[in-house]
């Protein structure tokens, strides 16, 4: 092996999109001969990839930077909060450099500046895996298909942080997917700011993969990914009409029957104030149609309560929407003003105490729905992807469970499996969020 040119500590905060940014930076640093180390004291410099979406995330980022400065002293900052460098340097003037999201060359250049690479580094000897450095377990990976977003939702500053939509060439996306599958990945989680909009910025340009012409469009991308014969899970899908085209792929078993769709609210009036895309869609009718085509589909969504101007009537409409929609997995946030978001200027902000009351009612309503949906699975045989195994048994996820954000399936006493294995198991019991299952008729 070639001589290492330096040791870099790395802290990655924020969403899966930021995690993929971190993976790309780490891969380049490894290619340049740096060692990635897990502790402050062994690092020549520490890189912090920040999140700047809401105030609590910004504070977490500032705290992480402060800790790195205290423990190590040499800190380089990148990521979404780095878009406004003054917000960071005002609190932590000792940071060495600040860059924004997707500024891969800038952050790697800063590492080179403060910890110069070794002249003896030989990239042909210090090999990096073809799939690059991954921060997820070996058996699943995030596949980012685009950067940025074209929408102007009034509560969101993502377009200001990450720019307008820029879709990756479909050949690049599928080649990356191919490398990941060859490296042992059994589940690909497709992510972006708006997966439904993939290719719209490049007019759905035809690209090539293994000599085949394929349009840069969500449906064609899903069809191609389905050919790998592994789990493919779709996240951040806005409910445009063309989403209907991928439901038959789910019904046929070629694509995981799972849609992560951020509905955000059920009241048309609030959705209009949020300036949500596809706000005028008849969402409940669409959901019924999807379930008619693919009865096993799992629907995950996120909502905001306490948006400025949200009335008691709006909130009751939201609760009714939840009852009607019967969504499987739901996250809910209380509206939080974000610097630069246009919603801050709207009248009639909801008092904090009322936001908390509405959030509690929302969660109580959805918890009952989720618990009921999980109880209905008792007695069913489901496919499970194993995530971990110890002397107590195995823990995995079903097709309804995305890592980190959804539930788990516990296989107590099952120890003759490995992470990344697919097994069949019979659901024996359930609580509000998780399942317990016993060995089924077969495993792969």
């Amino acid at each position: 092996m070639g001589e290492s040119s330096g040791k870099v500590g790395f802290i990655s905060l924020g969403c899966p999109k930021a995690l993929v940014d971190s993976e790309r930076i780490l891969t380049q640093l490894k290619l340049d001969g740096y060692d990635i180390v897990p502790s402050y004291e062994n690092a020549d410099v520490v890189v912090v990839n920040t999140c700047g979406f809401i105030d609590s995330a910004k504070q977490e980022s500032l705290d992480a930077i402060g800790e790195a400065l205290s423990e190590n002293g040499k800190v380089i900052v990148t990521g979404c909060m780095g878009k406004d460098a003054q917000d960071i340097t005002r609190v932590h003037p000792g940071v060495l450099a600040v860059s924004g999201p997707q500024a891969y060359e800038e952050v790697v250049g800063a590492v080179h500046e403060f910890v110069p690479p070794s002249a003896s580094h030989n990239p042909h000897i210090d090999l990096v895996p073809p799939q690059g450095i991954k921060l997820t377990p070996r058996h699943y990976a995030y596949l980012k298909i685009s950067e940025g977003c074209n929408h102007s939702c009034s509560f969101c500053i993502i377009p200001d942080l990450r720019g307008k939509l820029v879709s990756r060439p479909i050949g690049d996306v599928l080649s990356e997917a191919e490398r990941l599958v060859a490296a042992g990945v059994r589940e690909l989680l497709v992510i972006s700011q708006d997966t439904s909009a993939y290719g719209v910025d490049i007019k759905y340009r035809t690209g090539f993969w293994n000599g085949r012409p394929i349009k840069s469009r969500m449906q064609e991308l899903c069809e191609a990914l389905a050919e790998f014969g592994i789990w493919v899970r779709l996240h951040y899908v806005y409910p445009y009409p063309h989403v209907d085209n991928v439901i038959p792929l789910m019904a046929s078993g070629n694509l995981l029957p799972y849609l992560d769709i951020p509905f955000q609210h059920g009241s048309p009036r609030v959705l209009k104030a949020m300036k949500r895309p596809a706000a005028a869609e008849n969402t409940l009718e669409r959901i019924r149609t999807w379930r008619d085509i693919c009865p096993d589909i799992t629907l995950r969504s996120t909502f905001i309560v306490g948006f400025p101007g949200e009335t008691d009537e709006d909130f009751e409409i939201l609760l009714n929407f939840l009852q009607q929609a019967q969504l499987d997995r739901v996250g809910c946030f209380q509206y939080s003003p974000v610097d630069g978001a246009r919603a801050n200027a709207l009248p009639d902000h909801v008092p904090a105490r009322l936001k908390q009351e509405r959030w509690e009612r929302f969660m109580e309503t959805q918890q009952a729905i989720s618990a009921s949906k999980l109880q209905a699975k008792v007695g069913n045989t489901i496919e499970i992807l194993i995530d971990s195994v110890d002397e107590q048994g195995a823990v995995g996820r079903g097709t309804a469970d995305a890592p980190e954000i959804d539930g788990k399936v516990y296989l107590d006493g099952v120890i003759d499996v490995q992470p990344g294995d697919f097994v069949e198991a019979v659901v024996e019991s359930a609580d509000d969020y998780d399942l317990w299952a016993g060995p089924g008729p077969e495993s792969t």
Side-chain angles (χ1 to χ4, degrees):
M1 295 292 288
E3 177 189 345
S4 172
S5 61
K7 294 177 170 56
V8 180
F10 206 99
I11 299 168
S12 185
L13 304 172
C15 64
K17 278 87 72 177
L19 188 77
V20 174
D21 291 344
S22 295
E23 291 173 340
R24 181 166 173 178
I25 295 165
L26 287 169
T27 297
Q28 187 58 54
L29 290 173
K30 194 71 175 171
L31 285 168
D32 293 346
Y34 292 91
D35 280 345
I36 311 303
V37 296
S39 61
Y40 290 120
E41 57 268 24
N42 292 328
D44 298 315
V45 69
V46 176
V47 177
V48 181
N49 189 6
T50 59
C51 178
F53 185 46
I54 58 176
D55 289 345
S56 59
K58 289 180 179 180
Q59 190 57 53
E60 181 186 16
S61 295
L62 289 171
D63 291 347
I65 295 166
E67 180 181 283
L69 282 168
S70 174
E71 297 289 334
N72 181 276
K74 297 180 71 173
V75 178
I76 291 168
V77 178
T78 190
C80 283
M81 195 174 175
K83 183 80 172 180
D84 296 311
Q86 290 182 346
D87 288 350
I88 293 167
T89 56
R90 185 169 53 247
V91 179
H92 298 301
V95 298
L96 300 176
V98 181
S99 57
Q102 306 149 52
Y104 310 114
E105 294 82 3
E106 285 185 53
V107 67
V108 171
V111 173
H112 279 246
E113 178 183 352
F114 294 103
V115 184
S118 169
S120 64
H121 165 59
N122 185 340
H124 299 293
I125 295 175
D126 295 338
L127 296 178
V128 172
Q131 72 272 20
I133 306 300
K134 292 293 167 186
L135 298 176
T136 47
R138 182 173 178 266
H139 59 281
Y140 71 81
Y142 294 104
L143 182 66
K144 185 157 65 168
I145 63 174
S146 64
E147 300 282 5
C149 181
N150 284 346
H151 303 308
S152 301
C153 300
S154 59
F155 57 82
C156 182
I157 58 171
I158 289 295
D160 298 326
L161 295 176
R162 289 185 167 261
K164 292 291 188 181
L165 177 72
V166 179
S167 298
R168 292 179 63 194
I170 194 162
D172 290 358
V173 173
L174 292 173
S175 294
E176 180 182 350
E178 194 169 31
R179 291 192 299 272
L180 290 167
V181 173
V185 166
R186 311 301 298 275
E187 177 182 15
L188 288 172
L189 300 111
V190 178
I191 59 169
S192 65
Q193 299 299 337
D194 179 1
T195 294
S196 315
Y198 176 66
V200 70
D201 57 310
I202 52 177
K203 298 181 170 59
Y204 307 117
R205 179 191 306 143
T206 297
F208 292 89
W209 174 55
N210 291 342
R212 288 169 47 191
I214 305 178
K215 279 189 176 295
S216 301
R217 190 163 51 192
M218 179 181 170
Q219 181 179 348
E220 283 82 351
L221 174 65
C222 290
E223 290 169 350
L225 290 173
E227 294 178 20
F228 289 113
I230 63 169
W231 281 9
V232 177
R233 192 182 298 277
L234 300 181
H235 287 283
Y236 315 117
V237 179
Y238 286 83
Y240 302 125
H242 68 262
V243 173
D244 296 353
N245 298 334
V246 303
I247 307 301
L249 277 175
M250 297 179 178
S252 65
N254 293 316
L255 196 67
L256 274 193
Y258 182 102
L259 270 183
D260 176 3
I261 300 188
F263 290 125
Q264 303 298 17
H265 214 279
S267 164
R269 197 186 69 81
V270 174
L271 288 168
K272 185 177 180 181
M274 289 179 169
K275 297 192 180 301
R276 291 293 290 165
E281 294 291 331
N282 187 340
T283 303
L284 290 172
E285 184 58 39
R286 299 279 300 291
I287 290 172
R288 281 190 283 269
T289 300
W290 296 339
R291 286 181 172 142
D292 285 344
I293 298 169
C294 183
D296 292 334
I297 194 168
T298 295
L299 297 176
R300 152 168 274 284
S301 193
T302 51
F303 293 85
I304 296 172
V305 296
F307 188 78
E310 181 189 64
T311 63
D312 289 342
E313 181 183 5
D314 291 322
F315 181 66
E316 292 300 329
I317 291 172
L318 173 57
L319 292 184
N320 182 64
F321 176 89
L322 279 184
Q323 294 284 12
Q324 295 290 317
Q326 292 287 301
L327 302 174
D328 300 86
R329 306 290 191 184
V330 171
C332 182
F333 304 91
Q334 297 180 41
Y335 173 76
S336 173
V338 178
D339 287 345
R342 287 167 301 154
N344 298 342
L346 292 174
D348 303 321
H349 280 239
V350 178
R353 183 174 176 179
L354 184 54
K355 281 195 286 190
Q356 177 68 20
E357 288 175 3
R358 288 177 179 173
W359 181 84
E360 290 174 0
R361 286 186 63 198
F362 179 104
M363 294 305 295
E364 183 181 3
T365 299
Q366 180 56 39
Q367 188 174 10
I369 294 169
S370 298
S372 174
K373 301 272 284 190
L374 289 180
Q375 285 297 329
K377 297 185 182 211
V378 174
N380 293 349
T381 299
I382 62 172
E383 185 177 40
I384 300 164
L385 178 60
I386 301 298
D387 281 334
S388 62
V389 187
D390 61 22
E391 65 276 5
Q392 302 298 316
V395 182
R397 294 175 290 107
T399 60
D401 309 307
E404 307 293 338
I405 57 173
D406 292 330
K408 294 178 171 34
V409 183
Y410 293 92
L411 295 131
D412 294 341
V414 177
I415 58 175
D416 58 341
V417 292
Q418 299 292 325
D421 285 351
F422 286 112
V423 302
E424 298 282 320
V426 178
V427 179
E428 297 174 341
S429 63
D431 64 10
D432 291 347
Y433 300 104
D434 302 314
L435 299 174
W436 280 258
E442 59 182 280
S443 65
T444 58

